[in-house]
Amino acid sequence: LMRASQICRWTAARHTGAGVARRQAHHERMRDERAREAAAGNAELPPEDDAVEMVSAAQLLDSVAEVGPNYTLLRRKETKAKRRKRKREDVRAALNGHTVLPTGSRLEIFCNTERWYPATVMGREEDVDGRIAHQVEYDGYPDRRWWHMLDDERWR
């Protein structure tokens, strides 16, 4: 706890030294620059009330139309129960010799057109036979996803 006398000393303290003069000079230069801009008519005016339009984050991301880590919506945090279930499924599938890739993994899948297609693992689920089916989004097809059993595919 502080005593009242300590608080009074702190509020009455004055900053001294070369840094104070530099900061003061900087503030004066900035104030003069703002005054010159205002006099020349170049000052930035605040927007009118009707000029501001509220939009959702999803609308903004759609308008930007960018794909990548800089423009993704935040995902909900995985609950403890779901994380435990996912880990149990992963361990069981790995023990049975099935392929298990984490979400977000990059891979290439070989297609019957004799070509490798780059993709990203977007999700996965346990199939009825206990194998893991991976949901894959191919590069260049951001709105479409395909399910693959990677044990049955040629991939790298």
Side-chain angles (χ1 to χ4, degrees), residues 81-131:
K82 285 187 178 184
R83 184 175 57 250
R84 287 179 176 164
K85 180 182 177 205
R86 177 179 50 82
K87 289 189 179 234
R88 274 195 313 270
E89 290 172 355
D90 292 352
V91 168
R92 186 172 41 243
L95 287 174
N96 291 332
H98 302 300
T99 302
V100 180
L101 291 179
T103 302
S105 297
R106 298 285 299 156
L107 71 151
E108 290 182 331
I109 299 177
F110 192 74
C111 186
N112 55 3
T113 60
E114 302 296 320
R115 199 173 148 213
W116 290 96
Y117 289 92
T120 305
V121 175
M122 302 304 286
R124 60 181 188 226
E125 286 184 6
E126 186 175 8
D127 199 24
V128 291
D129 62 356
R131 298 190 315 169

Side-chain angles (χ1 to χ4, degrees), residues 12-17 20 23:
R14 294 186 52 129
H15 294 282
T16 60
V20 174
R23 185 177 63 241

Side-chain angles (χ1 to χ4, degrees), residues 1 10 14 21 23 25 29 32 34 37 41 44 56 64 84 92 95 98 108 114 118 124 137 141 154 156:
L1 293 172
W10 285 357
R14 294 186 52 129
R23 185 177 63 241
R29 284 193 306 272
D32 293 343
R34 284 192 301 272
E37 286 178 355
E44 207 173 291
S56 70
V64 172
R84 287 179 176 164
R92 186 172 41 243
L95 287 174
H98 302 300
E108 290 182 331
E114 302 296 320
R124 60 181 188 226
E137 183 177 290
Y141 299 93
R154 189 168 157 199
R156 59 181 180 195

